[in-house]
mmCIF file of all heavy atoms in Angstrom:
data_model
loop_
_atom_site.group_PDB
_atom_site.id
_atom_site.type_symbol
_atom_site.label_atom_id
_atom_site.label_comp_id
_atom_site.label_asym_id
_atom_site.label_seq_id
_atom_site.Cartn_x
_atom_site.Cartn_y
_atom_site.Cartn_z
ATOM 1 N N ASN D 1 2.557 6.938 3.955
ATOM 2 C CA ASN D 1 2.560 8.183 3.187
ATOM 3 C C ASN D 1 1.158 8.787 3.109
ATOM 4 O O ASN D 1 1.021 10.002 3.013
ATOM 5 C CB ASN D 1 3.104 7.961 1.776
ATOM 6 C CG ASN D 1 4.587 7.688 1.770
ATOM 7 O OD1 ASN D 1 5.297 7.953 2.734
ATOM 8 N ND2 ASN D 1 5.069 7.123 0.678
ATOM 9 N N ARG D 2 0.146 7.939 3.124
ATOM 10 C CA ARG D 2 -1.234 8.437 3.095
ATOM 11 C C ARG D 2 -1.704 8.871 4.482
ATOM 12 O O ARG D 2 -2.413 9.854 4.623
ATOM 13 C CB ARG D 2 -2.193 7.352 2.583
ATOM 14 C CG ARG D 2 -2.015 7.021 1.138
ATOM 15 C CD ARG D 2 -2.515 8.172 0.258
ATOM 16 N NE ARG D 2 -2.269 7.885 -1.135
ATOM 17 C CZ ARG D 2 -3.212 7.761 -2.043
ATOM 18 N NH1 ARG D 2 -4.467 7.928 -1.719
ATOM 19 N NH2 ARG D 2 -2.890 7.487 -3.284
ATOM 20 N N VAL D 3 -1.346 8.096 5.496
ATOM 21 C CA VAL D 3 -1.797 8.404 6.851
ATOM 22 C C VAL D 3 -1.068 9.627 7.406
ATOM 23 O O VAL D 3 -1.681 10.490 8.025
ATOM 24 C CB VAL D 3 -1.596 7.199 7.799
ATOM 25 C CG1 VAL D 3 -2.017 7.550 9.225
ATOM 26 C CG2 VAL D 3 -2.365 5.991 7.309
ATOM 27 N N TYR D 4 0.236 9.687 7.204
ATOM 28 C CA TYR D 4 1.062 10.775 7.732
ATOM 29 C C TYR D 4 1.791 11.473 6.581
ATOM 30 O O TYR D 4 3.009 11.331 6.433
ATOM 31 C CB TYR D 4 2.083 10.238 8.733
ATOM 32 C CG TYR D 4 1.460 9.463 9.869
ATOM 33 C CD1 TYR D 4 1.503 8.073 9.903
ATOM 34 C CD2 TYR D 4 0.829 10.133 10.914
ATOM 35 C CE1 TYR D 4 0.929 7.368 10.945
ATOM 36 C CE2 TYR D 4 0.261 9.433 11.956
ATOM 37 C CZ TYR D 4 0.311 8.048 11.973
ATOM 38 O OH TYR D 4 -0.256 7.352 13.005
ATOM 39 N N PRO D 5 1.076 12.226 5.763
ATOM 40 C CA PRO D 5 1.701 12.815 4.581
ATOM 41 C C PRO D 5 2.806 13.824 4.894
ATOM 42 O O PRO D 5 3.667 14.067 4.057
ATOM 43 C CB PRO D 5 0.532 13.480 3.846
ATOM 44 C CG PRO D 5 -0.519 13.674 4.875
ATOM 45 C CD PRO D 5 -0.338 12.580 5.870
ATOM 46 N N TYR D 6 2.807 14.393 6.099
ATOM 47 C CA TYR D 6 3.792 15.412 6.429
ATOM 48 C C TYR D 6 4.698 15.007 7.584
ATOM 49 O O TYR D 6 5.418 15.836 8.124
ATOM 50 C CB TYR D 6 3.092 16.740 6.771
ATOM 51 C CG TYR D 6 2.223 17.212 5.645
ATOM 52 C CD1 TYR D 6 0.836 17.162 5.748
ATOM 53 C CD2 TYR D 6 2.782 17.663 4.454
ATOM 54 C CE1 TYR D 6 0.035 17.570 4.691
ATOM 55 C CE2 TYR D 6 1.984 18.073 3.398
ATOM 56 C CZ TYR D 6 0.615 18.027 3.530
ATOM 57 O OH TYR D 6 -0.178 18.420 2.490
ATOM 58 N N ASP D 7 4.662 13.744 7.960
ATOM 59 C CA ASP D 7 5.477 13.268 9.085
ATOM 60 C C ASP D 7 6.197 11.983 8.684
ATOM 61 O O ASP D 7 5.599 10.922 8.626
ATOM 62 C CB ASP D 7 4.586 13.013 10.300
ATOM 63 C CG ASP D 7 5.376 12.664 11.549
ATOM 64 O OD1 ASP D 7 6.617 12.568 11.478
ATOM 65 O OD2 ASP D 7 4.739 12.493 12.605
ATOM 66 N N THR D 8 7.468 12.107 8.400
ATOM 67 C CA THR D 8 8.251 10.940 7.977
ATOM 68 C C THR D 8 8.872 10.189 9.156
ATOM 69 O O THR D 8 9.550 9.185 8.950
ATOM 70 C CB THR D 8 9.366 11.355 7.006
ATOM 71 O OG1 THR D 8 10.192 12.312 7.651
ATOM 72 C CG2 THR D 8 8.783 11.935 5.728
ATOM 73 N N SER D 9 8.624 10.652 10.371
ATOM 74 C CA SER D 9 9.228 9.993 11.535
ATOM 75 C C SER D 9 8.463 8.742 11.958
ATOM 76 O O SER D 9 8.999 7.897 12.671
ATOM 77 C CB SER D 9 9.312 10.967 12.714
ATOM 78 O OG SER D 9 8.011 11.312 13.168
ATOM 79 N N VAL D 10 7.221 8.601 11.525
ATOM 80 C CA VAL D 10 6.416 7.417 11.872
ATOM 81 C C VAL D 10 6.823 6.280 10.961
ATOM 82 O O VAL D 10 6.850 6.415 9.739
ATOM 83 C CB VAL D 10 4.906 7.710 11.738
ATOM 84 C CG1 VAL D 10 4.095 6.479 12.114
ATOM 85 C CG2 VAL D 10 4.514 8.899 12.588
ATOM 86 N N THR D 11 7.155 5.136 11.560
ATOM 87 C CA THR D 11 7.650 4.002 10.771
ATOM 88 C C THR D 11 6.816 2.733 10.931
ATOM 89 O O THR D 11 7.100 1.727 10.291
ATOM 90 C CB THR D 11 9.105 3.676 11.148
ATOM 91 O OG1 THR D 11 9.167 3.384 12.543
ATOM 92 C CG2 THR D 11 10.028 4.849 10.824
ATOM 93 N N VAL D 12 5.794 2.773 11.779
ATOM 94 C CA VAL D 12 4.970 1.587 12.012
ATOM 95 C C VAL D 12 3.540 1.874 11.540
ATOM 96 O O VAL D 12 2.950 2.874 11.927
ATOM 97 C CB VAL D 12 4.956 1.209 13.508
ATOM 98 C CG1 VAL D 12 4.048 0.022 13.760
ATOM 99 C CG2 VAL D 12 6.367 0.905 13.982
ATOM 100 N N VAL D 13 3.030 0.985 10.715
ATOM 101 C CA VAL D 13 1.666 1.129 10.201
ATOM 102 C C VAL D 13 0.690 0.907 11.356
ATOM 103 O O VAL D 13 0.784 -0.101 12.063
ATOM 104 C CB VAL D 13 1.393 0.112 9.068
ATOM 105 C CG1 VAL D 13 -0.056 0.161 8.622
ATOM 106 C CG2 VAL D 13 2.330 0.352 7.903
ATOM 107 N N PRO D 14 -0.235 1.845 11.561
ATOM 108 C CA PRO D 14 -1.235 1.639 12.620
ATOM 109 C C PRO D 14 -2.026 0.353 12.383
ATOM 110 O O PRO D 14 -2.289 -0.036 11.246
ATOM 111 C CB PRO D 14 -2.150 2.871 12.483
ATOM 112 C CG PRO D 14 -1.299 3.900 11.811
ATOM 113 C CD PRO D 14 -0.392 3.134 10.889
ATOM 114 N N ALA D 15 -2.402 -0.300 13.465
ATOM 115 C CA ALA D 15 -3.084 -1.596 13.386
ATOM 116 C C ALA D 15 -4.334 -1.541 12.515
ATOM 117 O O ALA D 15 -4.621 -2.493 11.783
ATOM 118 C CB ALA D 15 -3.443 -2.077 14.791
ATOM 119 N N ARG D 16 -5.062 -0.432 12.549
ATOM 120 C CA ARG D 16 -6.312 -0.355 11.785
ATOM 121 C C ARG D 16 -6.088 -0.338 10.282
ATOM 122 O O ARG D 16 -7.021 -0.554 9.507
ATOM 123 C CB ARG D 16 -7.124 0.854 12.216
ATOM 124 C CG ARG D 16 -6.464 2.168 11.876
ATOM 125 C CD ARG D 16 -7.162 3.350 12.463
ATOM 126 N NE ARG D 16 -8.374 3.641 11.717
ATOM 127 C CZ ARG D 16 -9.103 4.711 11.911
ATOM 128 N NH1 ARG D 16 -8.759 5.584 12.832
ATOM 129 N NH2 ARG D 16 -10.178 4.924 11.189
ATOM 130 N N TYR D 17 -4.849 -0.083 9.834
ATOM 131 C CA TYR D 17 -4.546 -0.028 8.404
ATOM 132 C C TYR D 17 -3.681 -1.198 7.923
ATOM 133 O O TYR D 17 -3.242 -1.212 6.784
ATOM 134 C CB TYR D 17 -3.861 1.294 8.056
ATOM 135 C CG TYR D 17 -4.716 2.498 8.354
ATOM 136 C CD1 TYR D 17 -4.246 3.522 9.150
ATOM 137 C CD2 TYR D 17 -6.003 2.600 7.839
ATOM 138 C CE1 TYR D 17 -5.032 4.632 9.431
ATOM 139 C CE2 TYR D 17 -6.797 3.700 8.112
ATOM 140 C CZ TYR D 17 -6.305 4.708 8.914
ATOM 141 O OH TYR D 17 -7.092 5.799 9.180
ATOM 142 N N ARG D 18 -3.480 -2.192 8.774
ATOM 143 C CA ARG D 18 -2.646 -3.328 8.380
ATOM 144 C C ARG D 18 -3.322 -4.180 7.300
ATOM 145 O O ARG D 18 -2.652 -4.766 6.468
ATOM 146 C CB ARG D 18 -2.267 -4.162 9.589
ATOM 147 C CG ARG D 18 -1.364 -3.330 10.521
ATOM 148 C CD ARG D 18 -0.541 -4.144 11.407
ATOM 149 N NE ARG D 18 0.850 -3.888 10.999
ATOM 150 C CZ ARG D 18 1.835 -4.686 11.280
ATOM 151 N NH1 ARG D 18 1.617 -5.796 11.928
ATOM 152 N NH2 ARG D 18 3.053 -4.399 10.897
ATOM 153 N N VAL D 19 -4.629 -4.223 7.292
ATOM 154 C CA VAL D 19 -5.338 -4.964 6.234
ATOM 155 C C VAL D 19 -5.112 -4.267 4.901
ATOM 156 O O VAL D 19 -4.901 -4.932 3.875
ATOM 157 C CB VAL D 19 -6.846 -5.099 6.560
ATOM 158 C CG1 VAL D 19 -7.611 -5.646 5.384
ATOM 159 C CG2 VAL D 19 -7.034 -5.985 7.771
ATOM 160 N N ASN D 20 -5.131 -2.930 4.898
ATOM 161 C CA ASN D 20 -4.829 -2.190 3.672
ATOM 162 C C ASN D 20 -3.417 -2.530 3.200
ATOM 163 O O ASN D 20 -3.188 -2.756 2.006
ATOM 164 C CB ASN D 20 -4.931 -0.680 3.912
ATOM 165 C CG ASN D 20 -6.323 -0.233 4.243
ATOM 166 O OD1 ASN D 20 -6.734 -0.348 5.394
ATOM 167 N ND2 ASN D 20 -7.051 0.268 3.266
ATOM 168 N N GLN D 21 -2.483 -2.562 4.128
ATOM 169 C CA GLN D 21 -1.093 -2.887 3.800
ATOM 170 C C GLN D 21 -1.012 -4.281 3.175
ATOM 171 O O GLN D 21 -0.352 -4.470 2.144
ATOM 172 C CB GLN D 21 -0.226 -2.824 5.055
ATOM 173 C CG GLN D 21 1.216 -3.191 4.824
ATOM 174 C CD GLN D 21 2.027 -3.248 6.112
ATOM 175 O OE1 GLN D 21 1.483 -3.137 7.215
ATOM 176 N NE2 GLN D 21 3.323 -3.416 5.979
ATOM 177 N N LEU D 22 -1.687 -5.230 3.772
ATOM 178 C CA LEU D 22 -1.681 -6.606 3.274
ATOM 179 C C LEU D 22 -2.300 -6.693 1.884
ATOM 180 O O LEU D 22 -1.743 -7.330 0.982
ATOM 181 C CB LEU D 22 -2.439 -7.504 4.254
ATOM 182 C CG LEU D 22 -2.552 -8.972 3.908
ATOM 183 C CD1 LEU D 22 -1.179 -9.626 3.879
ATOM 184 C CD2 LEU D 22 -3.456 -9.674 4.894
ATOM 185 N N ASN D 23 -3.419 -6.033 1.678
ATOM 186 C CA ASN D 23 -4.084 -6.068 0.369
ATOM 187 C C ASN D 23 -3.248 -5.402 -0.715
ATOM 188 O O ASN D 23 -3.203 -5.873 -1.853
ATOM 189 C CB ASN D 23 -5.465 -5.424 0.457
ATOM 190 C CG ASN D 23 -6.461 -6.301 1.163
ATOM 191 O OD1 ASN D 23 -6.356 -7.521 1.142
ATOM 192 N ND2 ASN D 23 -7.429 -5.690 1.812
ATOM 193 N N ILE D 24 -2.584 -4.317 -0.379
ATOM 194 C CA ILE D 24 -1.725 -3.634 -1.351
ATOM 195 C C ILE D 24 -0.540 -4.519 -1.710
ATOM 196 O O ILE D 24 -0.182 -4.656 -2.883
ATOM 197 C CB ILE D 24 -1.260 -2.267 -0.811
ATOM 198 C CG1 ILE D 24 -2.447 -1.308 -0.757
ATOM 199 C CG2 ILE D 24 -0.138 -1.689 -1.661
ATOM 200 C CD1 ILE D 24 -2.182 -0.037 0.022
ATOM 201 N N ALA D 25 0.063 -5.158 -0.719
ATOM 202 C CA ALA D 25 1.195 -6.054 -0.981
ATOM 203 C C ALA D 25 0.764 -7.212 -1.877
ATOM 204 O O ALA D 25 1.464 -7.566 -2.834
ATOM 205 C CB ALA D 25 1.771 -6.577 0.333
ATOM 206 N N ALA D 26 -0.402 -7.797 -1.602
ATOM 207 C CA ALA D 26 -0.903 -8.902 -2.428
ATOM 208 C C ALA D 26 -1.179 -8.422 -3.847
ATOM 209 O O ALA D 26 -0.845 -9.109 -4.818
ATOM 210 C CB ALA D 26 -2.174 -9.494 -1.814
ATOM 211 N N TYR D 27 -1.759 -7.241 -3.974
ATOM 212 C CA TYR D 27 -2.033 -6.675 -5.293
ATOM 213 C C TYR D 27 -0.746 -6.527 -6.090
ATOM 214 O O TYR D 27 -0.672 -6.913 -7.264
ATOM 215 C CB TYR D 27 -2.735 -5.326 -5.138
ATOM 216 C CG TYR D 27 -2.911 -4.591 -6.443
ATOM 217 C CD1 TYR D 27 -3.966 -4.893 -7.293
ATOM 218 C CD2 TYR D 27 -2.012 -3.608 -6.835
ATOM 219 C CE1 TYR D 27 -4.124 -4.227 -8.495
ATOM 220 C CE2 TYR D 27 -2.161 -2.939 -8.035
ATOM 221 C CZ TYR D 27 -3.212 -3.252 -8.859
ATOM 222 O OH TYR D 27 -3.363 -2.601 -10.049
ATOM 223 N N LEU D 28 0.271 -5.968 -5.460
ATOM 224 C CA LEU D 28 1.542 -5.749 -6.154
ATOM 225 C C LEU D 28 2.199 -7.056 -6.575
ATOM 226 O O LEU D 28 2.733 -7.173 -7.676
ATOM 227 C CB LEU D 28 2.489 -4.935 -5.269
ATOM 228 C CG LEU D 28 2.062 -3.494 -5.013
ATOM 229 C CD1 LEU D 28 2.953 -2.855 -3.949
ATOM 230 C CD2 LEU D 28 2.086 -2.683 -6.292
ATOM 231 N N LEU D 29 2.152 -8.057 -5.705
ATOM 232 C CA LEU D 29 2.759 -9.351 -6.039
ATOM 233 C C LEU D 29 1.966 -10.069 -7.134
ATOM 234 O O LEU D 29 2.555 -10.674 -8.031
ATOM 235 C CB LEU D 29 2.854 -10.235 -4.797
ATOM 236 C CG LEU D 29 3.913 -9.814 -3.781
ATOM 237 C CD1 LEU D 29 3.782 -10.636 -2.503
ATOM 238 C CD2 LEU D 29 5.309 -9.953 -4.360
ATOM 239 N N ASN D 30 0.666 -10.006 -7.068
ATOM 240 C CA ASN D 30 -0.162 -10.692 -8.062
ATOM 241 C C ASN D 30 -0.127 -10.021 -9.429
ATOM 242 O O ASN D 30 -0.453 -10.638 -10.430
ATOM 243 C CB ASN D 30 -1.610 -10.794 -7.572
ATOM 244 C CG ASN D 30 -1.768 -11.820 -6.485
ATOM 245 O OD1 ASN D 30 -1.048 -12.804 -6.428
ATOM 246 N ND2 ASN D 30 -2.706 -11.580 -5.589
ATOM 247 N N LYS D 31 0.270 -8.776 -9.466
ATOM 248 C CA LYS D 31 0.304 -8.011 -10.711
ATOM 249 C C LYS D 31 1.648 -8.131 -11.443
ATOM 250 O O LYS D 31 1.774 -7.675 -12.571
ATOM 251 C CB LYS D 31 0.023 -6.544 -10.373
ATOM 252 C CG LYS D 31 -0.222 -5.653 -11.544
ATOM 253 C CD LYS D 31 -0.648 -4.289 -11.075
ATOM 254 C CE LYS D 31 0.492 -3.337 -11.246
ATOM 255 N NZ LYS D 31 0.092 -1.943 -11.206
ATOM 256 N N ARG D 32 2.609 -8.798 -10.829
ATOM 257 C CA ARG D 32 3.933 -8.920 -11.459
ATOM 258 C C ARG D 32 3.816 -9.530 -12.847
ATOM 259 O O ARG D 32 3.066 -10.467 -13.076
ATOM 260 C CB ARG D 32 4.865 -9.794 -10.617
ATOM 261 C CG ARG D 32 5.356 -9.107 -9.383
ATOM 262 C CD ARG D 32 6.258 -9.980 -8.583
ATOM 263 N NE ARG D 32 5.496 -11.170 -8.199
ATOM 264 C CZ ARG D 32 6.040 -12.319 -7.873
ATOM 265 N NH1 ARG D 32 7.322 -12.466 -7.874
ATOM 266 N NH2 ARG D 32 5.292 -13.335 -7.545
ATOM 267 N N GLY D 33 4.553 -8.960 -13.766
ATOM 268 C CA GLY D 33 4.529 -9.433 -15.137
ATOM 269 C C GLY D 33 3.529 -8.686 -15.995
ATOM 270 O O GLY D 33 3.547 -8.805 -17.212
ATOM 271 N N ALA D 34 2.656 -7.931 -15.355
ATOM 272 C CA ALA D 34 1.657 -7.162 -16.099
ATOM 273 C C ALA D 34 1.646 -5.716 -15.597
ATOM 274 O O ALA D 34 0.631 -5.040 -15.674
ATOM 275 C CB ALA D 34 0.283 -7.790 -15.917
ATOM 276 N N GLU D 35 2.779 -5.258 -15.087
ATOM 277 C CA GLU D 35 2.863 -3.919 -14.529
ATOM 278 C C GLU D 35 2.454 -2.867 -15.548
ATOM 279 O O GLU D 35 2.887 -2.909 -16.690
ATOM 280 C CB GLU D 35 4.295 -3.611 -14.043
ATOM 281 C CG GLU D 35 4.734 -4.435 -12.856
ATOM 282 C CD GLU D 35 5.364 -5.754 -13.244
ATOM 283 O OE1 GLU D 35 5.247 -6.154 -14.414
ATOM 284 O OE2 GLU D 35 5.967 -6.386 -12.377
ATOM 285 N N GLY D 36 1.630 -1.952 -15.122
ATOM 286 C CA GLY D 36 1.241 -0.846 -15.966
ATOM 287 C C GLY D 36 0.248 -1.185 -17.063
ATOM 288 O O GLY D 36 -0.089 -0.326 -17.870
ATOM 289 N N GLN D 37 -0.210 -2.397 -17.113
ATOM 290 C CA GLN D 37 -1.128 -2.807 -18.177
ATOM 291 C C GLN D 37 -2.436 -2.036 -18.060
ATOM 292 O O GLN D 37 -3.023 -1.952 -16.996
ATOM 293 C CB GLN D 37 -1.399 -4.302 -18.056
ATOM 294 C CG GLN D 37 -2.222 -4.860 -19.164
ATOM 295 C CD GLN D 37 -2.319 -6.361 -19.060
ATOM 296 O OE1 GLN D 37 -2.841 -6.858 -18.077
ATOM 297 N NE2 GLN D 37 -1.803 -7.058 -20.033
ATOM 298 N N LEU D 38 -2.867 -1.476 -19.158
ATOM 299 C CA LEU D 38 -4.114 -0.723 -19.141
ATOM 300 C C LEU D 38 -5.275 -1.556 -19.644
ATOM 301 O O LEU D 38 -6.344 -1.565 -19.063
ATOM 302 C CB LEU D 38 -3.978 0.556 -19.976
ATOM 303 C CG LEU D 38 -2.956 1.554 -19.439
ATOM 304 C CD1 LEU D 38 -2.844 2.748 -20.367
ATOM 305 C CD2 LEU D 38 -3.332 1.998 -18.044
ATOM 306 N N VAL D 39 -5.080 -2.280 -20.738
ATOM 307 C CA VAL D 39 -6.150 -3.124 -21.271
ATOM 308 C C VAL D 39 -5.518 -4.345 -21.921
ATOM 309 O O VAL D 39 -4.488 -4.239 -22.573
ATOM 310 C CB VAL D 39 -6.997 -2.373 -22.323
ATOM 311 C CG1 VAL D 39 -8.043 -3.290 -22.932
ATOM 312 C CG2 VAL D 39 -7.651 -1.152 -21.720
ATOM 313 N N MET D 40 -6.140 -5.503 -21.728
ATOM 314 C CA MET D 40 -5.717 -6.717 -22.409
ATOM 315 C C MET D 40 -6.936 -7.599 -22.591
ATOM 316 O O MET D 40 -7.727 -7.759 -21.679
ATOM 317 C CB MET D 40 -4.680 -7.476 -21.596
ATOM 318 C CG MET D 40 -4.198 -8.747 -22.290
ATOM 319 S SD MET D 40 -3.351 -9.832 -21.147
ATOM 320 C CE MET D 40 -4.393 -11.257 -21.237
#
């Protein structure tokens, strides 16, 4: 969605952004149980 904001036909993440994909996935999984937390 960030790389191709106006082209929904692309379905494969370019190789140069796969690390971003991996880091985002890890962030989302590690944040489970504290979704939306602003301060604790």
Side-chain angles (χ1 to χ4, degrees):
N1 290 343
R2 291 289 177 118
V3 178
Y4 304 103
Y6 303 108
D7 186 357
T8 58
S9 66
V10 181
T11 58
V12 177
V13 175
R16 66 188 284 188
Y17 299 126
R18 294 202 115 200
V19 170
N20 295 82
Q21 178 185 7
L22 180 64
N23 286 331
I24 290 168
Y27 173 82
L28 293 171
L29 288 172
N30 286 330
K31 190 173 105 163
R32 286 180 300 157
E35 293 88 347
Q37 185 174 62
L38 296 177
V39 176
M40 181 196 119

